[in-house]
Amino acid sequence: MTKPVEASSELNSEYLLTEQQLAGYREDGHIYLKNVATQEEIAEYEPVITDWVLKLNYHDKPVSERDTYGKAFIQIGNLWEKSEDCRRFTLARRFAKIAADLMGVDGVRIYHDQALFKEPGGGHTPWHQDQIYWPLDTDNTITMWMPLVPIPQDVGTMTFASGTHKLGYVSKQGISDESHKTLGQYIEAKQFPTVSYGAMAAGDATFHAGWTMHCAPGNPTDSMRKVMTVIYVADGSRVAEPDSKARESDLRNWLPGCKPGDLAASPLNPLVYSRNAK
């Protein structure tokens, strides 16, 4: 068994989940957890993550002149490769163990991280399923979504369609106006309950399964909505044959050197938690 990457001691302490929380996640495909990171930890990591996001921001047009996807957020992936501080955050054992516990697996690897900063006046994030982008032959995937600043009620967290993680593939549409319409109509027709957790404190987090349908509102405030996400995949998962250009792109970017049928375990996918590690 490969030894997990060591994260900082501050983020190694355990966050215990109740049986009710575990059962709720597996039924709904999403959960909201308070104080996953402390205020002191957020104060340490937020400035570093923000600095890298602003440094790597690729947008060269005002929000009003972008397409729907571009209006949704500044999206920067694999910050953990950029600095030791970002690495400690993304590879934190505390976060990884929560992911493993919620999925009920023995170990998890990083698929990749993403900073998702929604600018003042930023647009909504359309309904979508994350896993349409991922060439992974498993349903055991999960994303941690953690605000680095307080999220007020008028910005809010994502809205989740409970139980949709059990459906697998529903639509191959990427995040777009079309996906928002198609999946929104599907959710309404099938009467899936929708849940939004409203205001969140910095360091709180939601976790959602890769197939869970979700969307997010725009940002009507004059403050940046700063969110850091980490995507985990169960250790032992294999690479699927990519069936779209989006999955071909993900295979190149996040699973370099891996081929269909290989373990999803490139150098960019370190093992960050294992129950069997000494």
Side-chain angles (χ1 to χ4, degrees), residues 208-219:
H208 67 272
W211 289 119
T212 301
M213 296 180 193
H214 59 287
C215 64
N219 180 4

Side-chain angles (χ1 to χ4, degrees), residues 7-223:
S8 68
S9 58
E10 291 89 346
L11 292 172
N12 274 348
S13 59
E14 291 199 14
Y15 186 103
L16 299 178
L17 298 170
T18 66
E19 288 300 322
Q20 184 178 10
Q21 287 173 319
L22 295 173
Y25 171 79
R26 291 165 194 171
E27 177 63 27
D28 296 335
H30 59 86
I31 192 171
Y32 171 37
L33 301 175
K34 289 182 174 293
N35 303 314
V36 174
T38 67
Q39 295 305 300
E40 292 76 17
E41 289 162 351
I42 291 295
E44 176 184 349
Y45 291 103
E46 181 274 320
V48 178
I49 293 171
T50 296
D51 182 59
W52 276 104
V53 170
L54 297 180
K55 188 182 303 182
L56 298 172
N57 179 15
Y58 51 89
H59 287 301
D60 57 2
K61 295 179 180 179
V63 172
S64 61
E65 297 179 17
R66 304 176 202 158
D67 62 13
T68 299
Y69 193 98
K71 289 176 181 177
F73 34 59
I74 302 170
Q75 181 180 29
I76 307 295
N78 267 13
L79 284 179
W80 72 271
E81 294 185 281
K82 305 301 182 184
S83 80
E84 187 56 38
D85 285 329
C86 292
R87 180 184 178 87
R88 285 198 299 270
F89 185 92
T90 295
L91 305 187
R93 183 181 184 277
R94 183 190 307 156
F95 306 157
K97 185 177 185 297
I98 293 172
D101 288 346
L102 289 172
M103 290 192 292
V105 300
D106 288 336
V108 293
R109 291 180 178 272
I110 297 294
Y111 181 51
H112 62 87
D113 69 26
Q114 282 187 328
L116 299 175
F117 280 32
K118 195 177 289 284
E119 297 155 279
H124 74 121
T125 306
W127 282 109
H128 65 283
Q129 294 176 292
D130 293 338
Q131 200 157 332
I132 67 164
Y133 293 97
W134 305 342
L136 297 169
D137 190 16
T138 180
D139 292 333
N140 281 323
T141 60
I142 192 169
T143 297
M144 180 185 79
W145 190 95
M146 179 181 287
L148 305 176
V149 294
I151 304 281
Q153 181 73 35
D154 53 352
V155 176
T157 180
M158 294 179 288
T159 297
F160 300 99
S162 298
T164 52
H165 64 303
K166 300 174 184 178
L167 304 174
Y169 244 138
V170 171
S171 170
K172 292 186 179 181
Q173 292 174 326
I175 301 175
S176 61
D177 293 331
E178 290 73 23
S179 75
H180 194 66
K181 180 180 179 180
T182 300
L183 294 181
Q185 291 174 341
Y186 182 89
I187 291 163
E188 184 176 0
K190 298 293 185 181
Q191 297 185 316
F192 286 103
T194 57
V195 175
S196 177
Y197 294 110
M200 293 176 67
D204 291 353
T206 61
F207 287 77
H208 67 272
W211 289 119
T212 301
M213 296 180 193
H214 59 287
C215 64
N219 180 4
T221 74
D222 58 4
S223 300

